[in-house]
């Protein structure tokens, strides 16, 4: 699910770039580049929401070509998305827009993995999430010692919090209890989400039928064609929104891939049985941050609400 993981598989299968195993960067450039995607209404709607400047009208986004973005970097730094410009190419897209959008959402989620903690801190699925309850700065594990340290104290000297004697395993246990409670409650929610998804798919099919009917009527009745344009545009706009919501329903399902791999009807999904990768997916999907107190207790701040353990 990560670029590194995919790169590892490619390397194991014997693929190389210029004689070197350097696939992660190459994969990142490919996955971010819309030149491989079909430039249709769905892709237009996705980038429209990002306030990117368009060189071509929406009517030109008919799925016959792909798109390209300029203005990605400035002095080796990423610029704001609204400073980007996107335009249609003369290259045919080979990846459907829905899949491309799902990849963008996943890449965006992956970028949040472990930013506050280097990979060698052994914080595992909690990397980047644990913060000092006193100053709010990151709690890291010293690589040379199995001890936890407040970044506000050790690096910035603005905090006096001490986590001496607190073990990472104790924090993981409290987080496991929090995540397990969510997992136990999630099957019902997944059923509700699937019902909503089916309703969206039904609505999309209905809109497509209505648009097709209106277009056919307009083709055989010239007096009706002018009046039908507005109705077709209105339904097409709603269809674009429904299709985009369908994509996000899949992309933003916090750990849908976890369930796809592990959930079996009639069985309980256990947090402790998940792989480290799936634990990361779950933690970052549910948790905004984990506040660590000097007495070893943690407060899990969930995305969208506060919850104390």
């Amino acid at each position: 699910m990560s670029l590194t993981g995919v790169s590892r598989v490619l390397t194991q299968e014997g693929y190389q770039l210029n004689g070197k195993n350097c696939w992660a960067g190459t994969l990142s450039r490919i996955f971010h580049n819309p030149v491989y995607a079909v430039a249709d209404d769905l892709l237009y709607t996705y980038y429209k929401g990002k306030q990117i400047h368009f060189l071509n009208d929406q009517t030109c986004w008919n799925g016959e070509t792909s798109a390209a973005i300029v203005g990605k970097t400035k002095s080796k730094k990423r610029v704001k998305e609204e400073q980007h410009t996107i335009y249609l190419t003369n290259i045919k897209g080979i990846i459907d827009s829905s899949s491309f959008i799902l990849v963008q959402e996943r890449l965006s989620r992956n970028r949040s993995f472990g930013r506050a903690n280097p990979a060698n801190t052994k914080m595992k699925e909690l990397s980047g999430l644990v913060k000092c309850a006193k100053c709010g700065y990151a709690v890291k594990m010293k690589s040379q010692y199995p001890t936890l340290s407040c970044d506000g104290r050790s690096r910035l000297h603005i905090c006096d919090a001490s986590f001496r004697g607190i073990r990472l395993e104790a924090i993981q246990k409290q987080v496991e209890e929090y995540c397990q409670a969510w997992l136990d409650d999630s099957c019902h929610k997944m059923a509700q989400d699937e019902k909503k998804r089916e309703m969206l798919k039904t609505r999309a099919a209905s809109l497509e039928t209505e648009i097709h009917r209106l277009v056919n009527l307009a083709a055989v009745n010239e007096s009706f064609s002018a009046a039908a344009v507005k109705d077709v545009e209105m339904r097409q706009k709603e269809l674009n929104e429904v299709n985009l919501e369908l994509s996000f329903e899949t992309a933003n399902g916090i750990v849908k891939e976890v369930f796809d791999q592990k959930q079996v009807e009639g069985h309980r999904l256990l947090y402790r049985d998940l792989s480290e990768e799936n634990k990361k997916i779950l933690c970052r999907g549910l948790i905004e941050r984990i506040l660590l107190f000097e007495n070893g207790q943690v407060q899990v701040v969930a995305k969208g609400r506060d919850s104390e353990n």
Side-chain angles (χ1 to χ4, degrees):
M1 292 299 179
S2 65
L3 290 174
T4 301
V6 177
S7 300
R8 187 181 302 114
V9 172
L10 290 173
T11 299
Q12 291 172 349
E13 293 185 358
Y15 291 96
Q16 290 186 329
L17 180 65
N18 296 328
K20 297 180 180 180
N21 301 328
C22 53
W23 278 94
T26 303
L27 288 175
S28 179
R29 289 191 292 273
I30 292 173
F31 289 162
H32 281 100
N33 197 341
V35 77
Y36 299 100
V38 175
D40 54 12
D41 280 331
L42 183 60
L43 193 65
Y44 178 91
T45 303
Y46 172 76
Y47 279 116
K48 191 70 173 178
K50 294 184 172 297
Q51 300 180 334
I52 292 179
H53 176 66
F54 287 82
L55 290 185
N56 308 94
D57 293 333
Q58 183 175 2
T59 54
C60 299
W61 288 65
N62 53 20
E64 295 181 1
T65 68
S66 61
I69 295 177
V70 294
K72 281 187 174 181
T73 58
K74 185 177 182 181
S75 300
K76 298 184 179 181
K77 295 182 179 180
R78 293 186 65 85
V79 298
K80 295 180 180 179
E81 287 178 327
E82 55 264 31
Q83 294 177 266
H84 295 174
T85 297
I86 190 167
Y87 63 94
L88 296 176
T89 70
N90 59 358
I91 304 170
K92 186 175 180 62
I94 58 175
I95 301 173
D96 67 274
S97 57
S98 179
S99 296
F100 180 80
I101 292 171
L102 296 182
V103 170
Q104 303 316 297
E105 295 302 309
R106 181 53 193 260
L107 289 170
S108 178
R109 193 171 0 138
N110 280 2
R111 281 197 295 271
S112 69
F113 281 12
R115 282 184 173 177
N117 289 288
N120 63 357
T121 58
K122 301 181 181 180
M123 294 290 282
K124 298 183 179 179
E125 74 273 14
L126 304 186
S127 177
L129 293 177
V130 184
K131 312 292 181 182
C132 174
K134 182 172 286 188
C135 70
Y137 279 89
V139 172
K140 301 181 180 180
M141 179 176 286
K142 296 179 180 179
S143 56
Q144 63 271 41
Y145 305 109
T147 57
L148 299 173
S149 173
C150 168
D151 207 32
R153 174 175 178 165
S154 61
R155 185 173 64 87
L156 302 175
H157 309 293
I158 61 173
C159 182
D160 61 357
S162 173
F163 301 121
R164 183 182 297 274
I166 299 176
R167 297 178 62 84
L168 175 64
E169 291 80 2
I171 304 174
Q172 288 176 310
K173 181 63 177 177
Q174 295 181 70
V175 174
E176 176 184 338
E177 293 173 356
Y178 177 87
C179 291
Q180 187 61 58
W182 183 89
L183 287 172
D184 290 341
D185 186 56
S186 62
C187 288
H188 176 64
K189 183 177 183 302
M190 283 189 67
Q192 290 180 322
D193 289 345
E194 188 59 32
K195 183 178 180 180
K196 177 183 177 182
R197 184 169 176 77
E198 289 302 317
M199 291 176 62
L200 287 171
K201 289 167 67 175
T202 299
R203 180 56 181 161
S206 176
L207 286 168
E208 288 176 350
T209 300
E210 292 176 20
I211 292 172
H212 184 69
R213 179 177 60 82
L214 288 170
V215 171
N216 285 341
L217 286 173
V220 299
N221 190 335
E222 292 184 2
S223 62
F224 178 75
S225 61
V229 170
K230 185 175 181 180
D231 289 337
V232 170
E233 288 181 347
M234 180 178 65
R235 285 166 174 77
Q236 185 62 56
K237 181 180 179 181
E238 183 181 354
L239 178 60
N240 291 344
E241 293 173 351
V242 170
N243 283 333
L244 188 60
E245 188 172 357
L246 273 170
S247 296
F248 288 153
E249 278 292 307
T250 300
N252 294 334
I254 296 175
V255 285
K256 208 169 186 65
E257 58 267 48
V258 175
F259 288 96
D260 290 342
Q261 296 172 22
K262 295 285 186 177
Q263 185 66 47
V264 179
E265 187 174 356
H267 291 74
R268 187 187 184 204
L269 181 66
L270 297 178
Y271 177 86
R272 64 173 177 266
D273 291 339
L274 299 179
S275 66
E276 185 174 321
E277 175 73 12
N278 281 337
K279 285 180 180 179
K280 286 182 180 181
I281 295 170
L282 182 58
C283 287
R284 282 156 182 75
L286 297 178
I287 300 171
E288 183 69 33
R289 60 188 181 277
I290 301 165
L291 299 178
L292 177 62
F293 294 84
E294 291 179 273
N295 62 2
Q297 290 299 111
V298 302
Q299 179 184 347
V300 178
V301 180
K303 290 188 173 179
R305 69 184 192 280
D306 288 2
S307 177
E308 185 171 334
N309 276 3

